[in-house]
Amino acid sequence: MLDPLSLIRLNDEVVDDASLQGRDLIIALDGHADAGHVLRQVRGTLLDELDARLVATFDADQLINYRERRPQITFLGDHFTAYQRPRIELYALTDGLGTPFLLLTGPEPDLQWDRFAAAVVRLSMALNVRLAASFNGVPMPVPHTRRLGVTVYGNRPDLAEGVTTWNPTAEVPASAAHLIELELAQRGRDVVGFTLHVPHYLGDAEYPQVAVAALEHLGAAMGLGLPTDRLREAGRSVGEQIESQVAGSPEIQRMVSKFEQRFDEHVPQQERRSLLLGADEQLPDGDDLGHAIEAYLSGRRADDD
């Protein structure tokens, strides 16, 4: 195998920044299991709404099969412009609460997976990444009228307890993100992944609800406050369109009804843990909330004085 580190070009302006050490890493490589366009939506939301600094780029020229996945280029009447080169990049971001994390994003490599995974793992070890998390969406025979299910995997059972809704045993197509997670876990790093269950009849559409769910799961696992307001607003609009189409088609109504019946029969009716709480935390009762509010207000009055 060729030297994995030769795939990486570091940003000299930030690479020596000590604050990059000890962060969590979100892996968002598109091209595999992207039902509902969850990867594109999450990546766009994080890079558009949060402060981001480029840490490193990977040599996509060695990793992408251009003839199988041709880049786009703009044609303006009589000439070409704006060639869109594939970019696989590592960013440093800060969430709305001031908590830093890392984001690996771009097209999933077509070639040299072992070398690419080794490069990501070496960079992660050098940056002392604590937890690496990935996510995707898969089409499932489930109704849009029920809460989105999720399969949680990795080596952190506490992040799956009370959250995961289905854990099958199966042979599935691998992804580059899976290989990275496997290599990191073998080196003693924490990894977690979230596979969201998207209604199969919405799998080819942009479904904001699945992106909101992905951000909620990532935020809960990493203790991050990730932005979802714009996606929630888009989700309300999409939800109205779906309901309108369902109401206008008896055939679709029958299909959704069958999915609801099957879902209610086969999905365990277990109580799911709130994503606002840790695995061992309990939802506070009214007295606890009252005491917390009183303490907060007392502190504010003391600060004012």
Side-chain angles (χ1 to χ4, degrees):
M1 182 171 63
L2 298 174
D3 181 10
L5 295 181
S6 64
L7 286 173
I8 303 172
R9 183 168 65 252
L10 298 172
N11 182 355
D12 293 335
E13 295 181 2
V14 303
V15 69
D16 293 327
D17 187 345
S19 69
L20 295 177
Q21 292 287 323
R23 299 190 182 195
D24 292 337
L25 168 67
I26 295 176
I27 302 172
L29 299 172
D30 59 16
H32 171 75
D34 195 24
H37 297 181
V38 58
L39 286 157
R40 184 174 68 185
Q41 293 184 83
V42 167
R43 179 180 61 236
T45 297
L46 294 179
L47 293 178
D48 290 346
E49 299 192 31
L50 300 179
D51 293 332
R53 295 186 299 163
L54 181 65
V55 176
T57 60
F58 294 80
D59 189 353
D61 232 24
Q62 299 189 54
L63 301 171
I64 301 299
N65 183 343
Y66 291 94
R67 295 187 64 181
E68 291 293 328
R69 189 167 17 165
R70 293 181 181 272
Q72 296 294 304
I73 190 169
T74 302
F75 182 68
L76 294 179
D78 59 357
H79 66 283
F80 289 100
T81 184
Y83 173 58
Q84 300 175 30
R85 287 182 174 82
R87 301 180 66 87
I88 304 174
E89 300 168 320
L90 180 69
Y91 285 94
L93 292 88
T94 304
D95 75 349
L97 303 175
T99 304
F101 64 100
L102 299 169
L103 174 67
L104 176 65
T105 183
E108 179 185 56
D110 299 308
L111 311 168
Q112 303 187 45
W113 276 18
D114 284 334
R115 186 182 177 208
F116 172 70
V120 174
V121 168
R122 291 194 188 184
L123 187 54
S124 299
M125 300 298 285
L127 294 174
N128 195 29
V129 166
R130 299 177 303 179
L131 172 67
S134 66
F135 63 97
N136 58 20
V138 296
M140 298 276 285
V142 295
H144 69 279
T145 53
R146 298 294 186 265
R147 183 175 178 180
L148 283 171
V150 60
T151 296
V152 187
Y153 55 90
N155 59 2
R156 287 284 304 274
D158 58 307
L159 298 180
E161 184 179 357
V163 177
T164 193
T165 56
W166 187 53
N167 284 100
T169 298
E171 293 288 332
V172 299
S175 71
H178 295 155
L179 183 55
I180 293 169
E181 293 165 9
L182 186 63
E183 296 287 344
L184 284 172
Q186 290 175 349
R187 286 162 175 77
R189 300 293 172 169
D190 289 343
V191 298
V192 66
F194 302 96
T195 296
L196 284 303
H197 308 162
V198 181
H200 75 86
Y201 50 90
L202 300 173
D204 293 333
E206 187 168 285
Y207 192 46
Q209 287 85 335
V210 69
V212 170
L215 287 168
E216 288 179 340
H217 285 294
L218 291 168
M222 296 180 161
L224 299 173
L226 301 177
T228 59
D229 289 349
R230 188 177 67 181
L231 288 169
R232 291 181 189 277
E233 182 63 30
R236 284 188 282 270
S237 177
V238 169
E240 292 173 358
Q241 296 175 35
I242 295 172
E243 292 305 323
S244 176
Q245 293 183 19
V246 171
S249 172
E251 181 180 355
I252 296 178
Q253 292 175 26
R254 288 192 295 270
M255 179 192 71
V256 173
S257 179
K258 289 180 180 179
F259 285 150
E260 289 174 338
Q261 181 179 357
R262 186 182 306 167
F263 184 94
D264 294 339
E265 289 176 353
H266 296 285
V267 174
Q269 298 301 313
Q270 62 188 24
E271 184 177 352
R272 295 175 66 176
R273 189 182 86 228
S274 169
L275 295 180
L276 299 176
L277 302 175
D280 299 324
E281 296 177 327
Q282 299 293 324
L283 192 67
D285 59 22
D287 290 338
D288 292 335
L289 291 173
H291 293 322
I293 293 172
E294 290 178 1
Y296 171 75
L297 293 176
S298 297
R300 289 293 301 273
R301 285 194 293 269
D303 290 341
D304 292 342
D305 293 340

